[in-house]
Every structure is written in C-alpha cells, then in structure tokens.
Amino acid sequence: QQQVKQSPQSLIVQKGGISIINCAYENTAFDYFPWYQQFPGKGPALLIAIRPDVSEKKEGRFTISFNKSAKQFSLHIMDSQPGDSATYFCAAKPHQGAQKLVFGQGTRLTINP
Amino acid sequence: DTAVSQTPKYLVTQMGNDKSIKCEQNLGHDTMYWYKQDSKKFLKIMFSYNNKELIINETVPNRFSPKSPDKAHLNLHINSLELGDSAVYFCASSQDWVNQPQHFGDGTRLSIL
C-alpha cells in the first residue's frame, strides 16, 4: 500500500527559528509533492509544492527540499513566526494508478513568541 | 467569492438520523472530493468525482452516498448515523486529477450524540 510517513507528529520552535518537517515515501512513482497548511477551523490550503525533477523550491520563508534517491522530502520554514502555528500535511500524487493524494499523518507546529 | 463552500459548518444530530452536507465550488473545476478528518487530524479520502462520474470510492460504508447533480456540486448524504461518524468532513476540488492542487472547503464538523 502506498504510504507517506511524516515526522515529527508535533514540533515546538521558538520565534525566529527554523522549523523542519520531514516526509518519506515508499516504492511508488509519485509526480507531485504538495505541502498543505491547516489552521484550526479551516480546511487545508496549499502552501508550496514540488515536482521530482527539481531538488529544491523556495517561496518566501518556505522551502521544500527533495531527495529523489532517498525518497524523502522536507519542508523548511525560516524565521518561524507565531502566525505559522498550524498543522502541516505533506502529500504525494501517484503518476498512475489510483487517483488519490497520499497524505502524511500531519505535524502540529507551534511557534512560541 | 468563496472558492469551495460547504454547508452546514456544524451539524449535531442523534444516532440513527439521516443528514446531508452540501458542497459547491465556483472554480470551474472538473474533479471534486470528499475527505474525512478524524480527531487525530488524519485526512482520509472518501470519494472522488470527475465531471459527475464516480472515480474513487474508498471502502466507505454504503450508508454514505455522494451525489453530484452537476460538476460544481458534490453533496454527501449519510444514512443511519453512527457514533463513529463524528468527524470533520472536507470537500475539495481540483481542475482535474492531473492538474492539482486541491482546494478545500472549511469543513463540516459532524457530532453524533
């Protein structure tokens, strides 16, 4: 069964620090790796996404690092702010087969002021 | 100008009742989804429709019946509600399966008494 394993389950970072969330996937061809951000009482919203032909993508303070050989990808939040406190989900889209995103288990991020 | 809207936002009802959740998207997308998010925040796909046609039915009990009257609407009807149905249900849409990302509604919190 296709899986994406996300860690840590929860993370506390001081304001101004770097938040790092990791995801690893198993032996399947995925062609799109999005990260979603979810605030309490809201639906997940796309934060940043990457395709496997690049190793890094940066948008403002958010960076995805992608290691195809290790089947791992991670989200880095630089200069973390209290407003970044949310639950973050990584996901992966299969290139073929079942037409459903495979989500990680989520990481609850808390940024202390 | 809400992109994906769900109603109601909260639904509190007794075990055994039948209820419906409505979803509408104004993005012109072809594909719509229903997800269930449990108390541990795990996101689980339930159904996926493409142009009113069922694509994914993820081993959901047949008490759950999605209906897509047109490609902008995907409603979820639940018969004989059980305690285990308590969760937050999210509707989402994407341009199509190939062209992500998915845009989520703000969820319907279903509580079974």
Side-chain angles (χ1 to χ4, degrees):
Chain A
Q1 187 173 352
Q2 300 175 356
Q3 282 192 22
V4 173
K5 294 183 180 177
Q6 184 173 345
S7 62
Q9 195 171 1
S10 62
L11 180 63
I12 300 174
V13 174
Q14 290 300 116
K15 180 182 173 182
I18 303 173
S19 304
I20 301 174
I21 305 171
N22 300 298
C23 285
Y25 59 97
E26 297 183 352
N27 189 21
T28 294
F30 293 118
D31 62 3
Y32 174 75
F33 299 86
W35 284 88
Y36 284 85
Q37 179 188 54
Q38 184 180 21
F39 293 107
K42 296 291 187 181
L46 179 73
L47 182 64
I48 187 173
I50 197 169
R51 297 201 181 269
D53 51 349
V54 297
S55 59
E56 186 174 282
K57 182 174 181 181
K58 185 175 180 178
E59 289 184 3
R61 297 184 294 107
F62 302 92
T63 300
I64 299 179
S65 297
F66 184 78
N67 186 329
K68 192 172 182 178
S69 60
K71 295 189 178 74
Q72 294 175 347
F73 58 111
S74 58
L75 175 70
H76 291 63
I77 306 174
M78 311 298 288
D79 187 27
S80 300
Q81 298 297 311
D84 298 329
S85 297
T87 300
Y88 291 81
F89 295 93
C90 63
K93 173 186 162 291
H95 174 63
Q96 54 191 7
Q99 294 183 7
K100 57 179 181 177
L101 287 180
V102 182
F103 279 92
Q105 296 88 338
T107 296
R108 188 169 193 163
L109 175 65
T110 302
I111 308 299
N112 284 335
Chain B
D1 60 344
T2 306
V4 180
S5 59
Q6 297 178 227
T7 53
K9 189 168 176 66
Y10 300 98
L11 193 48
V12 181
T13 190
Q14 303 268 4
M15 228 169 38
N17 284 350
D18 304 339
K19 289 293 178 186
S20 292
I21 306 172
K22 294 187 176 182
C23 179
E24 176 182 4
Q25 54 94 3
N26 63 3
L27 297 165
H29 288 167
D30 285 344
T31 305
M32 295 185 73
Y33 313 81
W34 276 109
Y35 287 87
K36 179 180 181 180
Q37 187 172 51
D38 61 24
S39 57
K40 294 184 178 179
K41 297 286 190 181
F42 186 67
L43 273 168
K44 182 175 168 58
I45 182 83
M46 300 174 69
F47 301 102
S48 165
Y49 269 72
N50 187 64
N51 262 322
K52 304 194 298 174
E53 184 180 335
L54 181 66
I55 301 297
I56 294 278
N57 182 343
E58 194 68 2
T59 59
V60 176
N62 57 15
R63 297 183 295 104
F64 291 79
S65 52
K67 292 268 189 324
S68 184
D70 55 61
K71 73 174 193 176
H73 296 84
L74 180 62
N75 303 321
L76 183 65
H77 188 76
I78 316 170
N79 288 328
S80 303
L81 281 156
E82 300 178 356
L83 287 175
D85 298 332
S86 294
V88 182
Y89 292 84
F90 287 100
C91 176
S93 72
S94 62
Q95 185 177 331
D96 49 48
W97 167 243
V98 173
N99 293 292
Q100 300 283 325
Q102 295 180 21
H103 298 255
F104 285 78
D106 282 340
T108 295
R109 181 174 293 276
L110 174 63
S111 300
I112 310 300
L113 302 178

